[in-house]
């Protein structure tokens, strides 16, 4: 049961979180949306899950492996990027990609800045002026998650940290990254749940909403 | 050592976090700011800490007990409120007050909506239209922290949850509230550290920054 | 060794918790119950586990995939529902189904109210009058688990929260939901273990016991 | 702001949780209730807090040290007990007393059964027939919290466990007791937050509500 | 490298913990022990691990599936049981079996008392006199782990609790059971690591050592 | 209510745990025991608590500051020590002293071996032969709690670890020490709750019980 | 994107952490390094991951199963060992091997001292003089992790503890070992993340850097 | 009992950890050291503890409030600094001061670099060349603890992180900082216990030992 009234209330259509849903359930949701001529974003749909969908369903969807997302109805046209999506390491890319796809679905381009973890500070500084020009910055980082603190000390826009569950030992699962972001000394850094690229994008859309 | 360059970079002057500082250290910081004719916000300065300051220092400061904040140089003139600050229960008021004072220091009025926890849903619904008119909503809540989820499902603006450390048993310390907010089903809800009213206000200022 | 004396003491026959039992053990228990002409409820018997039972055993059982339960001896006749079973999201359905099947086994119908999480408050309010007519309400919810708090503020009957282990990040495993329910501001909300739909149903039966 | 509409909705007036409120705030609430001729229950009001109230306020209140509760307007007349309140050890008495006072405020007597922890099993068995005659049993226990499991295996009524924060080492704070109760093998045992005697009493009132 | 000197020092030969060892490593250890005509106990060797051993190695070993143990060199002759091994539920049997096999390897019979969890108290009381005749009692229990507390309040001998990792929700992994045992009100109950039936048996052997 | 029947069942009289009891309650318990001519052990009675007792009560008690214990009726005569009580550092002494006093109350002398933490291994090795002659060894250790593992690898008797809550950072509260003991590689090491010197002594008495 | 500038700054080339990377990504990195004639260390590349690489890539790499590492460009010539790598048990060997391979890649031999856990103290003492001759000692240990404390009390050089994730119950995942090392009474013991043999080796290289 | 042999073994005299020791105990230790003409370092001796010492004892000690340390026998002569001690914020100063005093006691000067947290990156970069000239860098940081990661990516020497217990919410107690350091992406960063400035200094001394 999709909540079509929600779009009116908060400006964000409900996405379909596919983890834990059967292929049959997902196909039915897609069919129902198509019948209504509605666009639809599906998240947490991994390659195996996409492969298990009926061929007819797959044919209607624009699927992306890295972000594990599918889009029904095509991306919206996007103007110049007002949102940056940054990653500390390569393992953070899937989470960042989920954010980028969610933004694209809502008609927003994103400036992607990858592999700028603080252990290699110069790579970050080389890109910081581009980032400073954005209204919102999403930063996906796991492990020590120092990147969002550094970025929030350098840019004036909204900075949204997304802890990622990458790493091992004390980093495994993303709690260390989450706590580091919440405890950040940089004022005004906000945080979403671990691996929640979709949520970070929704927050960015809220921030751009009135502008 | 105050970082005066920071204001240029991120638009937010560094506040003075007074917990753990001696009266002598705080008085010196205030004196130095006054010498530079700078305005200053002091946070986490409880009544005992304020009382321990030299009389001359106290005379220069606008002190507020509930929020445990002091301001040097007076509040900025404020236009109509574009930010709501909501609380679930009375124990959440000090955290909300810290946010309101921080906003006032930066020239922003706040719409205050108190005592609207979800166990008494009708009180919340009676106020929701006012809240929907705001660009940003800060929601301070402890215990089960259900209020931010409900609010984020009803308004389109930026919603910033501040978990509070009120309560006992599993609620003590604020982790239960923090986790409930991070795990919220409402898309795009962002969160700051437990009891961090100052951080929530800074995030709100970032969101309003370009508008 | 089934405890047949227990039914006399507490009015609830022991159910067979199948997770961790071999097909041979389960088949023997079913055979022994049938020899005594006893009815039997089996829980946590997933589709693979059911499929691994001998065909003769399977033939005697009424199996339900969603709830992962099987019943020997048929459901009892049920009168009008005095118990509601509510779910916040689709991922909570298996836990709710375990509760409904347990109630049915004991001769109680249930009013099912699905997909009424607080992020879409209006769906909940549309159903609340039906729920208020019940003597007991079981609410299965994961993630932020705000639904039981809202419900316990709106109905006068017994409200039993069942945290579910759905979600990711801080929600994974159900601790966030459990803590949110225990910390609820709504007075008199009681809680059972994560994913324990069976236990919630038993508690509901205890509450109806003397009426 | 007391929620007088709540009583109509859920049959339970809001109690005043005094921890964290100033003497002035509490006195004002009492005065306001008296002006409305309303009865009032105040919880978590320790001896120091009560002593700090104005003499005029104190004179109106029926204060009890052990339970740290005060009542305005006197106890309701009570019929024969239908609820037992049990404790494992002497340290659990304050939590049990909070439950008993809450029940008394709502016109219910309680059968008190103290000091029957499972390490001295015979003391429990000597009292169990009395307990079996009750409709609801509240069991306050800390440390290993084995008592509610044993009781729930012996009585047919509603059994509500209240973990207490007594003890040291792994028991300190009450998490060990809480988890033991939630993990109980006895079917249908329900649990409230650590030290929440008030909540257990509210749950008991819900269970008796329709009878 | 087996530590043959250890037997002289502490009277306990080192057992071979097989989890994480390859079939080749295990076979080599067995061959080396046989060459020295030494007896050997292998623990945590599941059915798949045993099946992966060379046929020649398997032929020399007395393997037991439930306990996941294998013995080289046969069991020692055992006199009358002075140790009881009790279990709360059927899921605790593998851990108890590991203890029983370890005792048998060292020439001690065990009195087995199964399925006497406290939710069915009468089953426990029916067996307690047998247990009281033992010098040492090992109690394996998961979930709420109330059994060791009850037993330690009824018997005078050494009582060793072994928490088991059975269960789900807050019980999963065995921490709830471990904490309940450590927090027990019954004096002198001692505890070993979760699922450590081997360690409990070693402790029992230490206790019988001088007698 | 003291459980005088317990001594018959398990050979250990109930000690009075004084933390959380008022001076009046303690004085009444002592008076009641004296009236019965019973001996009595009081634990967790700190100097302030002892000082708050009535002078007449204090006069009857043999009080010891380090262990925070008091004894009514004098120590029993003790034969040669069969139990060692070891400490890693000076901060572990109060916990060890509680064990020694409990043993003395029951007529057992203890060999005390202090300040032999593993960071200074030679001090431990200089004393190990004395320790090896004992039937039971109690080892109190905080921080990394490596001492019980080393000792259990060197002696054949019963080894009981008591984690202590000394230290700071990750050691604070004693969980690190508790986990290190439970995870010990030395077979047959058993553990009691953090700071539970009384429980360790009771376990030692159980081990010596039949000899 | 490899950070070739890093070698100049900190003397350590970036290793390629292969967990979570696809075979295609790894092959591309190797090819790119070979094109630059650069040497390369790959870590966390298990046998399955290595097997999935293109044959041409595999042919260029020196692969080691135990350490799950591969080296492109061959090991550097090594002088006499100045670093010891010690293990408590056989399960710690893979972590130690990762450290040894990292050292070898940078031209340092290592003295390996295996299977010297403190439960068999004499094995450790038999090797300690060799270890004392080293400038740096890396100690990999899980479970109770007592070995690094003992070693740091016996040697004067740099001692680096690597907690390992071996074991079960409270030891599972390595937190118990990590905390025991951090809480060590031996002064100057330093620690890296759980299972981080690579990091320990890098720290050793930093310590030898100027010598 | 001071371990005078330790200095020979590991080159570090045992310091006296004063927290939890009485004034009498400390005075006795100082007297005993003076009798042996030994130098002595006392740590965790706060101003109240120092004030409680006998005047004669105080007169012999060089006391420092910020670091809560006292030295008997004067500081050793120090050559040019080879160790930097850095702090992220002012709350980290006491921990850093403990390290500096420990170094001074052993004859090593320290380069102090204060208030260079990553939220104000330019302050750090302005000092980095001085830091790069050192052989060892100690970095004390709480909250998000991003500073050690950034430093370890910029300098080649030994980098020792000391998490501090400053902050509130998820930062309180120092676990967030500890985990962030352990999870650092910068290779070879090593860590000591929370607030353990003494241990960090000892590790630095080990690293300089052979040079």
């Amino acid at each position: 049961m999709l909540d079509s009234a929600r779009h009116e209330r908060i400006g964000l259509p409900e996405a379909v979180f596919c983890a834990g849903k059967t292929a049959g359930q997902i196909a039915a949701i897609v069919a129902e949306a198509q019948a209504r001529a509605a666009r639809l974003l599906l998240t947490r749909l991994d390659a195996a899950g996409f492969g298990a969908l009926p061929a007819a369903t797959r044919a209607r969807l624009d699927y992306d492996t890295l972000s594990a997302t599918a889009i029904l109805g095509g991306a919206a046209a996007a103007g110049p990027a007002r949102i940056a999506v940054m990653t500390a390491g390569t393992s953070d890319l899937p989470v960042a990609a989920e954010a980028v796809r969610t933004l694209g679905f809502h008609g927003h381009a994103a400036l992607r800045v990858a592999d700028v973890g603080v252990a290699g500070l110069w790579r970050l500084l080389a890109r910081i002026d581009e980032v400073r020009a954005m209204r919102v910055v999403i930063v996906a980082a796991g492990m020590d998650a120092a990147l969002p603190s550094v970025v929030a000390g350098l840019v004036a826009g909204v900075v949204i940290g997304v802890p990622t569950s990458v790493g091992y030992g004390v980093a495994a699962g993303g709690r260390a990254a989450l706590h580091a972001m919440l405890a950040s000394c940089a004022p005004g850094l906000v945080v979403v749940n671990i691996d929640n690229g979709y949520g970070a994008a929704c927050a960015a859309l809220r921030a751009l909403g009135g502008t």
Side-chain angles (χ1 to χ4, degrees), chain A:
Chain A
M1 178 172 68
L2 285 168
D3 177 10
S4 53
R6 198 176 73 167
H7 187 268
E8 289 170 48
R9 277 203 311 282
I10 65 170
L12 299 168
E14 194 167 7
V16 180
F17 183 84
C18 298
K21 291 200 174 62
T22 65
Q25 291 174 312
I26 297 169
I29 292 170
V30 170
E32 192 259 2
Q34 197 173 35
R36 288 188 292 116
R39 294 174 64 243
L40 199 62
L41 172 67
L42 299 97
T43 63
R44 306 283 169 120
L45 178 63
D46 61 23
F50 179 70
L53 295 178
T57 304
R58 291 205 308 273
R60 290 167 196 152
L61 296 173
D62 164 19
Y63 182 69
D64 175 63
T65 305
L66 181 65
S67 61
T69 58
I71 290 178
L72 174 73
R82 289 187 294 165
I83 304 172
V85 178
M86 307 178 74
T87 42
T90 51
S91 306
D92 305 317
L93 288 175
V95 173
E98 188 185 84
V100 170
R101 286 273 284 183
T102 302
L103 294 171
F105 180 73
H106 291 90
H108 285 273
L111 169 71
R112 303 204 55 168
V113 181
D115 222 2
V116 290
V118 300
L121 194 61
W122 307 118
R123 289 188 284 194
L124 169 60
L125 297 179
R127 304 292 304 273
I128 200 66
D129 283 343
E130 288 171 86
V131 174
R132 288 173 62 91
M134 299 290 113
R135 279 281 291 127
V136 182
V137 185
I138 293 170
V139 189
M143 314 290 283
D144 53 3
L147 182 59
S149 284
V150 173
V151 169
L154 296 174
V155 311
V158 174
V159 183
I160 303 165
V162 193
T164 63
S165 59
V166 306
Y168 59 92
V170 300
R175 293 268 173 140
L178 171 66
H179 293 163
M181 289 185 190
L182 287 166
S184 173
C185 307
L189 172 63
V190 291
V191 184
V192 295
N193 196 5
I194 298 161
D195 290 337
N196 191 5
Y198 166 73
C202 288
L205 294 167
R206 286 177 181 266
L208 292 183
T211 63

